[in-house]
Amino acid sequence: MRIGVLTSGGDAPGMNATIRAVVRAALANKDQIFGIYDGYKGLVEGKIQEFTRKDVSEILNKGGTILGTARLPEFEYESVRKLAIKQLQKNDIEALICIGGDGTYTGALRLHEMGIKTIGIPCTIDNDIASSEYTIGFSTALNTACDAIDRLRDTSSSHQRCSIIEVMGRECGDLALYSGICCGAEYIITNETGLDKDRLLKDLKDNRLAGRRHAIVVISENLADVYQLAKEVEDYSGYECRATILGYVQRGGAPTPEDRLLAARLGKYSIDLLHEGITGVAVGVVKNELQYTPIEEALAMNNSSNEELHKLVQKIS
Ligand code: ADP
C-alpha cells in the first residue's frame, strides 16, 4: 500500500514516537509510507515526502512532531478537502493515518466520507478521546503537571499559602483529576465538578482556622480567572494565595515510557487494520486491549472523566 501519515491540531508528547511506529510498521510490511507536513494544511499544499527508516531515526524520545502541525479551519469545506484528495491522488496515496485529537478525527471522518481510507490515532494531552482509555501524550502531561504541583506544594507549605494551579483539559477534567489525586490536592475542580466558589472559599477559611499550613487547589482551564480567584481566596480565607497557570509546558517534553509504548502499539495496529481493510476507524486501548471504533462513534462518545476517581477524591482529599 501507499500510506500517508500526518499530525494535526494541538501537539502532544509522543507524536514522534507514533510517527516512528507507523513508518517502521509500514516499511516492515513492504508498504510505501509518506510523511505529510503541517497537518491538513500541508496536505492541501502538497507538502508530502516519502519516508525511509532513517527519516524517523532518533525521534522516539523527542517531544513535538517532526511533521509539524497546523490548523486549517477551512478543512470544514468540501471544496478544500477536494484539494487535499487531489494531492493524495497525485501521489497515489490510498490511505491516510491521522494523529491528533477530536478536530483531527473530524477531518479524517470527512475524508473517509469522500472515499479516502483513514485511521485516527488518539494523540492529545487532554485524554479527551473516549474511544481509548488513554491518549498518547496524557501520561507525559500528567508527569509534568505532578512535578510542577509537587514543587508548588513545597513552597506553599513553607509560606503557609494556598496555591491554585490551572492545568489543561478544556473538555475533559482528567489532567486535573489525576494530577490532583497524585499530588494530594485539597480541591480538584473540573468541568465535571463545576466550580462552587462559595463553598471553596468557606472550606478554605475553615482549613485555615483549623491550622492547616497550606492548601492546594487544582483546576481545569477555562473554569475561572484563576488570578482573580486567588485574590478572592486571599481576601476571604486568611491564606495568602497564588495562582499558577501551567500552560504550554504541559505540551512539551520527552514522552514517558507509557506514552512510547502506547504509540508503538497503536502505530503498528493502524497499519495492521489498513491491511485487513478496516478504515474510517479510531484506534485505542480499552482494558489494555487494542480496539477500534468507527470515528463517527468515537466522536459521539461521552468523554467525561472517571467517575470512580471523582468519588475517591471526595473520600481522601
Ligand atoms: P485537535 O485535533 O487537537 O482537536 P483541532 O480541533 O484544532 O485540533 O483540529 C485540527 C484540525 O482538524 C483543524 O485545524 C482542521 O483542519 C481539522 N478539523 C477540525 N474540525 C473539522 C471539521 N468540522 N471538518 C473538517 N476538518 C476539521
Side-chain angles (χ1 to χ4, degrees), residues 8-10 40 71-72 75-76 100-104 106-107 110:
S8 155
Y40 297 120
R71 290 197 159 97
L72 179 67
F75 209 61
E76 206 185 309
D102 53 4
T104 302
T106 308
R110 296 282 107 86

Side-chain angles (χ1 to χ4, degrees), residues 26-316:
L27 293 175
N29 239 1
K30 309 265 180 280
D31 294 318
Q32 280 174 281
I33 181 89
F34 297 82
I36 296 163
Y37 291 92
D38 298 333
Y40 297 120
K41 184 167 184 289
L43 175 58
V44 167
E45 291 166 1
K47 291 172 156 177
I48 301 172
Q49 182 201 327
E50 183 164 4
F51 269 15
T52 62
R53 267 186 78 80
K54 206 164 163 288
D55 290 307
V56 292
S57 289
E58 312 292 338
I59 66 166
L60 176 57
N61 59 348
K62 301 238 160 57
T65 158
I66 56 160
L67 286 175
T69 177
R71 290 197 159 97
L72 179 67
E74 297 80 5
F75 209 61
E76 206 185 309
Y77 304 123
E78 193 176 0
S79 56
V80 176
R81 293 198 300 276
K82 277 187 177 158
L83 298 175
I85 290 175
K86 252 195 195 149
Q87 292 291 352
L88 292 173
Q89 286 166 343
K90 195 168 131 192
N91 289 278
D92 253 338
I93 295 173
E94 61 198 286
L96 194 58
I97 294 182
C98 305
I99 303 167
D102 53 4
T104 302
Y105 275 24
T106 308
L109 175 63
R110 296 282 107 86
L111 286 176
H112 184 69
E113 289 163 351
M114 293 168 79
I116 303 298
K117 298 170 185 165
T118 57
I119 302 249
I121 302 185
C123 200
T124 154
I125 65 163
D126 292 353
N127 209 30
D128 60 352
I129 303 275
S131 54
S132 185
E133 266 162 14
Y134 292 103
T135 58
I136 300 159
F138 175 67
S139 161
T140 309
L142 177 59
N143 268 271
T144 304
C146 286
D147 184 49
I149 296 168
D150 281 346
R151 286 164 197 259
L152 287 164
R153 170 183 283 278
D154 292 345
T155 169
S156 295
S157 180
S158 309
H159 289 269
Q160 302 195 41
R161 265 186 202 140
C162 170
S163 257
I164 301 177
I165 301 132
E166 182 187 288
V167 300
M168 283 185 166
R170 206 168 287 246
E171 306 284 332
C172 172
D174 276 3
L175 257 184
L177 182 62
Y178 283 60
S179 63
I181 292 172
C182 294
C183 297
E186 276 71 18
Y187 299 93
I188 300 172
I189 302 163
T190 67
N191 61 343
E192 291 96 356
T193 66
L195 168 60
D196 181 344
K197 203 194 303 177
D198 292 342
R199 180 151 169 237
L200 178 72
L201 293 177
K202 184 179 174 314
D203 283 356
L204 286 170
K205 188 174 189 172
D206 291 348
N207 268 9
R208 183 73 180 131
L209 291 173
R212 292 213 206 159
R213 282 187 69 84
H214 68 262
I216 300 286
V217 179
V218 180
I219 181 167
S220 298
E221 65 184 318
N222 260 21
L223 291 176
D225 174 339
V226 287
Y227 296 117
Q228 175 61 28
L229 185 61
K231 198 172 167 319
E232 289 178 54
V233 168
E234 196 157 296
D235 290 345
Y236 189 86
S237 70
Y239 274 118
E240 206 181 283
C241 186
R242 296 280 184 276
T244 306
I245 298 177
L246 293 190
Y248 284 101
V249 292
Q250 295 161 95
R251 289 260 187 94
T256 58
E258 288 84 1
D259 278 335
R260 296 180 202 190
L261 188 65
L262 192 54
R265 294 176 76 195
L266 295 183
K268 180 200 176 271
Y269 186 45
S270 301
I271 297 294
D272 289 347
L273 288 177
L274 284 180
H275 282 276
E276 286 172 35
I278 297 168
T279 67
V281 297
V283 295
V285 279
V286 176
K287 297 192 168 69
N288 205 24
E289 301 266 337
L290 296 170
Q291 186 167 302
Y292 65 84
T293 310
I295 297 176
E296 197 163 13
E297 254 177 59
L299 286 169
M301 286 168 85
N302 180 358
N303 63 9
S304 56
S305 55
N306 188 312
E307 208 174 307
E308 183 251 329
L309 293 184
H310 275 290
K311 287 193 182 135
L312 167 80
V313 171
Q314 290 159 16
K315 297 287 173 207
I316 66 166

